[in-house]
Amino acid sequence: EVQLVESGGGLVQPGGSLRLSCAASGFTFSSYWMSWVRQAPGQGLEWVANIIQHGSEEYYVDSVRGRFTISRDNAKNSLYLQMNSLRGEDSAVYYCARVGHCTSTRCTFDFWGQGTLVTVSS
Amino acid sequence: EIVMTQSPATLSVSPGERATLSCRASQSVSSHLAWYQQKPGQAPRLLIYDVSTRATGIPARFSGSGSGTEFTLTISSLQSEDFAIYYCQQYDDWPPYTFGQGTKLEIK
């Protein structure tokens, strides 16, 4: 059974930093792209970042590029999101998602974790 | 960036009836369109990908159709567990992947 378990969320002041983690199990982690997707309170879904299987390619939504860094440790079956220079608009539940059902590089998010809440406030 | 627009924002339907949800893309996404279901306090769940392919374990009452810029999710006979928020998502042209704003399916 595929499982994705996020951790690391919490309350942080504007300008602060936070590192999210996602522990994966039930599949061959190193064979999949992985993503972070966020959802502000009462709002819709926003893709944040993707990382290729071996970590050599990363992609970001414009609003976080230069502030957030996605990374992975395939030996630990773990995905990370380092978030710096946090802003109020970054407050959201952050979901770790597996990228699957691909046609070339066009893929969906086929499994999601339960999410971790990040609140940016003074 | 491709903008995804869902309609209606809220849909009220009685159990046992059919529900039809719409999604429009600002430009063609070919067949690279997915639907997700999200219940309160839960993560999204993939329902449909490639416009019409049901994900593993998804009941046959869920079906998707469309092409290019116009897409539809149909739930043929609503069960109580189907009342939720539904999002469409394009994965044809990324980054960024983009989602619609969601349609809330509520009990009439």
Side-chain angles (χ1 to χ4, degrees):
Chain A
E1 178 192 5
V2 173
Q3 285 200 320
L4 299 168
V5 179
E6 302 93 336
S7 60
L11 175 64
V12 61
Q13 292 188 339
S17 297
L18 212 54
R19 189 195 197 207
L20 306 183
S21 299
C22 171
S25 60
F27 65 102
T28 304
F29 181 72
S30 60
S31 296
Y32 288 84
W33 287 66
M34 295 295 296
S35 287
W36 289 97
V37 179
R38 68 184 178 183
Q39 186 171 37
Q43 302 301 309
L45 300 166
E46 180 183 38
W47 169 78
V48 174
N50 264 21
I51 187 166
I52 201 171
Q53 290 93 331
H54 299 295
S56 57
E57 293 180 30
E58 305 159 24
Y59 300 87
Y60 299 92
V61 68
D62 286 349
S63 59
V64 309
R65 187 175 294 112
R67 300 188 298 123
F68 289 12
T69 302
I70 188 172
S71 63
R72 63 192 298 162
D73 184 337
N74 288 342
K76 295 183 177 179
N77 290 339
S78 293
L79 178 72
Y80 306 101
L81 186 67
Q82 177 67 43
M83 304 185 295
N84 298 331
S85 303
L86 282 161
R87 307 166 179 167
E89 55 264 37
D90 296 319
S91 294
V93 174
Y94 284 73
Y95 295 102
C96 164
R98 192 180 81 168
V99 176
H101 295 305
C102 297
T103 304
S104 181
T105 60
R106 297 179 170 89
C107 311
T108 60
F109 305 117
D110 62 352
F111 287 95
W112 300 60
Q114 284 303 303
T116 187
L117 177 62
V118 172
T119 303
V120 183
S121 175
S122 55
Chain B
E1 171 177 328
I2 297 178
V3 177
M4 306 301 291
T5 303
Q6 293 184 241
S7 60
T10 303
L11 182 61
S12 299
V13 183
S14 299
E17 292 189 342
R18 173 188 296 250
T20 302
L21 290 66
S22 296
C23 175
R24 173 178 291 178
S26 60
Q27 65 189 69
S28 176
V29 298
S30 185
S31 60
H32 303 117
L33 189 284
W35 291 93
Y36 300 85
Q37 177 194 65
Q38 187 177 34
K39 297 179 181 180
Q42 295 186 16
R45 176 175 69 149
L46 178 66
L47 294 177
I48 300 277
Y49 62 96
D50 292 349
V51 176
S52 60
T53 303
R54 283 188 301 277
T56 302
I58 301 304
R61 64 180 181 273
F62 291 91
S63 63
S65 62
S67 65
T69 62
E70 300 283 345
F71 302 92
T72 300
L73 173 68
T74 301
I75 311 171
S76 59
S77 178
L78 280 164
Q79 307 297 303
S80 57
E81 61 267 29
D82 299 335
F83 293 95
I85 299 175
Y86 292 83
Y87 294 96
C88 62
Q89 178 235 336
Q90 70 81 21
Y91 48 99
D92 184 70
D93 184 18
W94 71 275
Y97 297 97
T98 49
F99 294 86
Q101 79 281 16
T103 290
K104 182 179 180 180
L105 182 55
E106 64 177 27
I107 300 174
K108 186 175 182 179

